[in-house]
Amino acid sequence: MHQAGDVRVEDRDDPTIIEPTDAIIRLTATCICGSDLWPYRGTDPLDGPTPMGHEYVGVVEEIGDAVTTVKVGDVVVGSFFASDGTCEICRAGYESHCVHRVPMGSLGTQAERLRVPLADGTLVVVPGEPDDRQLRGLLAASDVLGTGWFAAVAAEAGPGKTVAVVGDGAVGLLGILAARRLGAERVIAMSRHADRQALARRFGATDIVEERGDEGVERIKQLTDGLGAHSTIEAVGTQESMMQAIRATRAGGHVGYVGVSHDVELPGLELFFSGVHLHGGPAPVRHFLPELVGLIMDGEIDPGAVFDLTLPLEDAAEGYRAMDERRATKVLLTL
Ligand SMILES: [Zn+2]
């Protein structure tokens, strides 16, 4: 991305092993994330041309001398932070906060080849050869499914619970799938787009609320005996969406927030009296990947259904336009 609205596919030098813990992978497919739209729309300023992308599935081409858990030829998937898997934070299940973490977006996974730092901690080997449907699922697991899953876990979605989901982008939609898999009895999707409502239903939403803001909160309360949801997933990152999530949640309930926060300021007194738990941030996707890879390869879940436009990598600029104009929910780029 050269500047806001200006995406070009250009040749860069091939990545090479720099640290003995690195691996080089050849990407099988990659995709465009809703968070790539923040710089595309100029909300996040860019400091000159920047490689883009942080989601990836690929085949290992080369490994550094210290790499032991992946080998050349393995099909692998990882998440948007490289992590060592060994520090105290990783072992506690918060790999996205690893003390040695490396943001994969800084390396740019919308590419043919990629250097993966801390390969042993970062990459998960996929058993067998994924077919096209599984490949799409694995790519979703790399970020949007893993993030939606963490949001559902952070919101303590589970049996007997009513879960509200704020945001109908890929993460919100897959948060619905996650909440249902975790046993939630009822999942209320907040969406006003017919195509996304249909996908929300497919992923297990039991109710749809089209209203937003205070009216949306009011509808959630009407559906929950005036109490609010037990668990709310916040998957947007704006002031409005965050307050909608907090206000839609009952006292003692949990908000799992994973929309990248943009100028959100929480009113202390309202938070104090709300009695809700807040937990979120950049999702430790790596923590959930082994389980998610298993569910996808076993055909238990089909998160790849979230991709509604597929383009070759060289047409990445059109993919960004399609997502920016909401003509696509999520774009898969083939190589
Ligand atoms: Zn770590």
Side-chain angles (χ1 to χ4, degrees):
M1 190 176 294
H2 282 251
Q3 56 184 337
D6 182 5
V7 172
R8 306 177 202 171
V9 179
E10 296 176 343
D11 281 325
R12 295 164 59 206
D13 291 338
D14 276 337
T16 54
I17 301 281
I18 296 172
E19 302 289 337
T21 45
D22 290 345
I24 305 295
I25 68 170
R26 172 173 285 279
L27 280 98
T28 312
T30 180
C31 50
I32 303 173
C33 185
S35 62
D36 293 331
L37 295 180
W38 292 109
Y40 188 79
R41 290 172 171 162
T43 312
D44 292 345
L46 278 182
D47 185 21
T50 305
M52 294 298 295
H54 52 259
E55 299 157 288
Y56 52 102
V57 175
V59 178
V60 176
E61 278 199 337
E62 193 183 347
I63 55 172
D65 291 340
V67 174
T68 61
T69 61
V70 300
K71 59 183 191 302
V72 171
D74 282 345
V75 178
V76 290
V77 56
S79 91
F80 49 83
F81 276 115
S83 51
D84 59 18
T86 55
C87 76
E88 270 193 55
I89 304 295
C90 279
R91 283 186 284 127
Y94 287 84
E95 289 90 337
S96 49
H97 301 271
C98 174
V99 299
H100 297 120
R101 72 180 180 180
V102 179
M104 297 304 292
S106 68
L107 301 166
T109 69
Q110 289 161 8
E112 294 167 306
R113 284 201 174 93
L114 174 70
R115 180 175 73 88
V116 180
L118 306 169
D120 279 339
T122 305
L123 295 173
V124 174
V125 177
V126 176
E129 280 289 316
D131 62 21
D132 184 61
R133 182 186 172 102
Q134 290 164 329
L135 175 65
R136 288 166 171 268
L138 294 170
L139 203 48
S142 181
D143 179 357
V144 284
L145 173 62
T147 295
W149 201 277
F150 168 64
V153 169
E156 303 212 344
K161 300 272 186 84
T162 294
V163 181
V165 181
V166 179
D168 64 358
V171 171
L173 291 167
L174 291 169
I176 295 167
L177 181 154
R180 290 291 276 182
R181 285 295 305 193
L182 292 166
E185 184 174 308
R186 197 171 182 195
V187 179
I188 307 167
M190 304 190 82
S191 171
R192 47 178 56 177
H193 302 91
D195 52 337
R196 299 189 185 199
Q197 290 175 3
L199 206 45
R201 294 265 187 205
R202 175 169 168 181
F203 287 144
T206 53
D207 302 82
I208 305 280
V209 165
E210 295 203 344
E211 293 86 350
R212 282 187 186 177
D214 291 345
E215 283 178 31
V217 169
E218 206 42 53
R219 277 296 293 146
I220 299 283
K221 293 210 164 159
Q222 284 169 10
L223 292 168
T224 53
D225 300 326
L227 300 175
H230 298 93
S231 307
T232 304
I233 291 173
E234 190 287 324
V236 183
T238 62
Q239 184 71 27
E240 185 191 16
S241 64
M242 191 67 178
M243 294 317 299
Q244 195 171 307
I246 292 169
R247 290 170 182 160
T249 307
R250 65 179 61 190
H254 295 75
V255 175
Y257 59 97
V258 293
V260 181
S261 180
H262 280 75
D263 299 323
V264 175
E265 291 193 29
L266 299 181
L269 198 61
E270 181 175 350
L271 192 59
F272 181 80
F273 280 105
S274 72
V276 303
H277 303 69
L278 299 182
H279 183 31
V285 173
R286 175 63 181 80
H287 185 68
F288 303 103
L289 268 182
E291 180 186 359
L292 299 179
V293 167
L295 290 171
I296 290 161
M297 294 307 286
D298 291 344
E300 291 279 323
I301 56 174
D302 183 23
V306 80
F307 292 103
D308 53 359
L309 180 62
T310 299
L311 295 169
L313 178 66
E314 54 263 35
D315 292 341
E318 167 55 17
Y320 276 82
R321 272 195 299 276
M323 279 181 61
D324 179 41
E325 294 165 8
R326 294 182 74 94
R327 285 185 280 119
T329 304
K330 191 153 178 77
V331 175
L332 186 135
L333 298 172
T334 56
L335 289 130

Short mmCIF file of all heavy atoms in Angstrom, two decimals, residues 239-261:
data_model
loop_
_atom_site.label_atom_id
_atom_site.label_comp_id
_atom_site.label_asym_id
_atom_site.label_seq_id
_atom_site.Cartn_x
_atom_site.Cartn_y
_atom_site.Cartn_z
N GLN A 239 -16.40 3.85 19.10
CA GLN A 239 -17.05 4.29 20.33
C GLN A 239 -18.48 3.75 20.41
O GLN A 239 -18.91 3.21 21.43
CB GLN A 239 -17.07 5.83 20.38
CG GLN A 239 -17.65 6.42 21.65
CD GLN A 239 -16.71 6.21 22.84
OE1 GLN A 239 -15.49 6.10 22.68
NE2 GLN A 239 -17.27 6.14 24.03
N GLU A 240 -19.20 3.88 19.28
CA GLU A 240 -20.60 3.45 19.26
C GLU A 240 -20.72 1.95 19.51
O GLU A 240 -21.55 1.50 20.30
CB GLU A 240 -21.25 3.82 17.92
CG GLU A 240 -22.74 3.49 17.91
CD GLU A 240 -23.38 3.59 16.52
OE1 GLU A 240 -22.66 3.61 15.51
OE2 GLU A 240 -24.62 3.61 16.48
N SER A 241 -19.88 1.16 18.83
CA SER A 241 -20.01 -0.29 18.95
C SER A 241 -19.61 -0.76 20.35
O SER A 241 -20.24 -1.67 20.92
CB SER A 241 -19.15 -0.99 17.89
OG SER A 241 -17.79 -0.73 18.09
N MET A 242 -18.59 -0.14 20.92
CA MET A 242 -18.14 -0.55 22.25
C MET A 242 -19.21 -0.22 23.31
O MET A 242 -19.52 -1.05 24.17
CB MET A 242 -16.81 0.15 22.59
CG MET A 242 -16.13 -0.40 23.81
SD MET A 242 -15.53 -2.10 23.57
CE MET A 242 -14.74 -2.35 25.17
N MET A 243 -19.80 0.96 23.20
CA MET A 243 -20.83 1.31 24.18
C MET A 243 -22.08 0.46 23.97
O MET A 243 -22.75 0.08 24.94
CB MET A 243 -21.18 2.81 24.07
CG MET A 243 -20.04 3.73 24.48
SD MET A 243 -19.14 3.24 25.98
CE MET A 243 -20.45 3.29 27.21
N GLN A 244 -22.37 0.15 22.71
CA GLN A 244 -23.50 -0.73 22.42
C GLN A 244 -23.28 -2.09 23.08
O GLN A 244 -24.20 -2.67 23.67
CB GLN A 244 -23.60 -0.87 20.90
CG GLN A 244 -24.89 -1.42 20.39
CD GLN A 244 -24.95 -1.31 18.87
OE1 GLN A 244 -24.76 -0.22 18.31
NE2 GLN A 244 -25.19 -2.41 18.21
N ALA A 245 -22.05 -2.58 23.00
CA ALA A 245 -21.74 -3.89 23.59
C ALA A 245 -21.87 -3.85 25.11
O ALA A 245 -22.48 -4.74 25.72
CB ALA A 245 -20.32 -4.32 23.18
N ILE A 246 -21.31 -2.83 25.73
CA ILE A 246 -21.35 -2.75 27.20
C ILE A 246 -22.79 -2.60 27.69
O ILE A 246 -23.24 -3.28 28.62
CB ILE A 246 -20.47 -1.57 27.70
CG1 ILE A 246 -18.99 -1.88 27.42
CG2 ILE A 246 -20.72 -1.29 29.18
CD1 ILE A 246 -18.05 -0.71 27.61
N ARG A 247 -23.55 -1.76 26.99
CA ARG A 247 -24.94 -1.48 27.43
C ARG A 247 -25.89 -2.64 27.14
O ARG A 247 -26.93 -2.76 27.77
CB ARG A 247 -25.44 -0.20 26.76
CG ARG A 247 -24.74 1.02 27.31
CD ARG A 247 -25.05 2.27 26.51
NE ARG A 247 -24.30 3.40 27.07
CZ ARG A 247 -24.03 4.53 26.41
NH1 ARG A 247 -24.44 4.68 25.16
NH2 ARG A 247 -23.35 5.49 26.99
N ALA A 248 -25.51 -3.50 26.17
CA ALA A 248 -26.36 -4.65 25.83
C ALA A 248 -26.12 -5.83 26.76
O ALA A 248 -26.80 -6.85 26.67
CB ALA A 248 -26.12 -5.08 24.38
N THR A 249 -25.14 -5.70 27.67
CA THR A 249 -24.73 -6.82 28.53
C THR A 249 -25.29 -6.64 29.94
O THR A 249 -25.25 -5.55 30.51
CB THR A 249 -23.19 -6.89 28.61
OG1 THR A 249 -22.68 -6.92 27.28
CG2 THR A 249 -22.72 -8.12 29.36
N ARG A 250 -25.80 -7.72 30.51
CA ARG A 250 -26.38 -7.65 31.85
C ARG A 250 -25.28 -7.51 32.92
O ARG A 250 -24.12 -7.85 32.69
CB ARG A 250 -27.19 -8.91 32.13
CG ARG A 250 -26.37 -10.18 32.18
CD ARG A 250 -27.22 -11.40 32.48
NE ARG A 250 -28.25 -11.60 31.45
CZ ARG A 250 -29.25 -12.48 31.55
NH1 ARG A 250 -29.36 -13.23 32.66
NH2 ARG A 250 -30.13 -12.63 30.59
N ALA A 251 -25.65 -7.05 34.09
CA ALA A 251 -24.72 -6.99 35.22
C ALA A 251 -24.18 -8.40 35.48
O ALA A 251 -24.93 -9.37 35.47
CB ALA A 251 -25.42 -6.46 36.45
N GLY A 252 -22.90 -8.50 35.67
CA GLY A 252 -22.27 -9.80 35.88
C GLY A 252 -21.90 -10.50 34.58
O GLY A 252 -21.22 -11.53 34.60
N GLY A 253 -22.35 -9.95 33.45
CA GLY A 253 -22.04 -10.54 32.15
C GLY A 253 -20.66 -10.14 31.65
O GLY A 253 -19.92 -9.43 32.33
N HIS A 254 -20.34 -10.65 30.46
CA HIS A 254 -18.99 -10.48 29.93
C HIS A 254 -19.01 -9.91 28.52
O HIS A 254 -19.78 -10.39 27.67
CB HIS A 254 -18.26 -11.83 29.88
CG HIS A 254 -18.02 -12.43 31.23
ND1 HIS A 254 -19.02 -13.02 31.97
CD2 HIS A 254 -16.90 -12.50 31.99
CE1 HIS A 254 -18.52 -13.45 33.13
NE2 HIS A 254 -17.23 -13.15 33.16
N VAL A 255 -18.13 -8.94 28.27
CA VAL A 255 -17.94 -8.41 26.92
C VAL A 255 -16.58 -8.89 26.43
O VAL A 255 -15.56 -8.68 27.09
CB VAL A 255 -17.98 -6.86 26.91
CG1 VAL A 255 -17.65 -6.32 25.51
CG2 VAL A 255 -19.33 -6.35 27.38
N GLY A 256 -16.57 -9.54 25.27
CA GLY A 256 -15.30 -9.92 24.62
C GLY A 256 -15.09 -8.97 23.46
O GLY A 256 -15.83 -9.01 22.48
N TYR A 257 -14.10 -8.07 23.59
CA TYR A 257 -13.94 -7.04 22.54
C TYR A 257 -12.68 -7.30 21.72
O TYR A 257 -11.59 -7.43 22.24
CB TYR A 257 -13.93 -5.63 23.15
CG TYR A 257 -12.84 -5.37 24.16
CD1 TYR A 257 -11.66 -4.74 23.77
CD2 TYR A 257 -12.99 -5.74 25.49
CE1 TYR A 257 -10.65 -4.50 24.69
CE2 TYR A 257 -11.99 -5.50 26.41
CZ TYR A 257 -10.82 -4.88 26.00
OH TYR A 257 -9.83 -4.66 26.91
N VAL A 258 -12.89 -7.40 20.42
CA VAL A 258 -11.78 -7.72 19.50
C VAL A 258 -11.70 -6.78 18.30
O VAL A 258 -10.78 -6.91 17.49
CB VAL A 258 -11.86 -9.19 19.02
CG1 VAL A 258 -11.60 -10.14 20.17
CG2 VAL A 258 -13.19 -9.48 18.35
N GLY A 259 -12.67 -5.84 18.18
CA GLY A 259 -12.53 -4.82 17.14
C GLY A 259 -11.37 -3.92 17.53
O GLY A 259 -11.29 -3.50 18.68
N VAL A 260 -10.46 -3.65 16.59
CA VAL A 260 -9.29 -2.82 16.94
C VAL A 260 -9.79 -1.43 17.31
O VAL A 260 -10.41 -0.73 16.52
CB VAL A 260 -8.30 -2.74 15.76
CG1 VAL A 260 -7.09 -1.89 16.18
CG2 VAL A 260 -7.84 -4.13 15.35
N SER A 261 -9.53 -1.06 18.58
CA SER A 261 -10.08 0.16 19.16
C SER A 261 -9.56 1.41 18.43
O SER A 261 -8.36 1.60 18.29
CB SER A 261 -9.68 0.20 20.64
OG SER A 261 -10.18 1.36 21.24
#
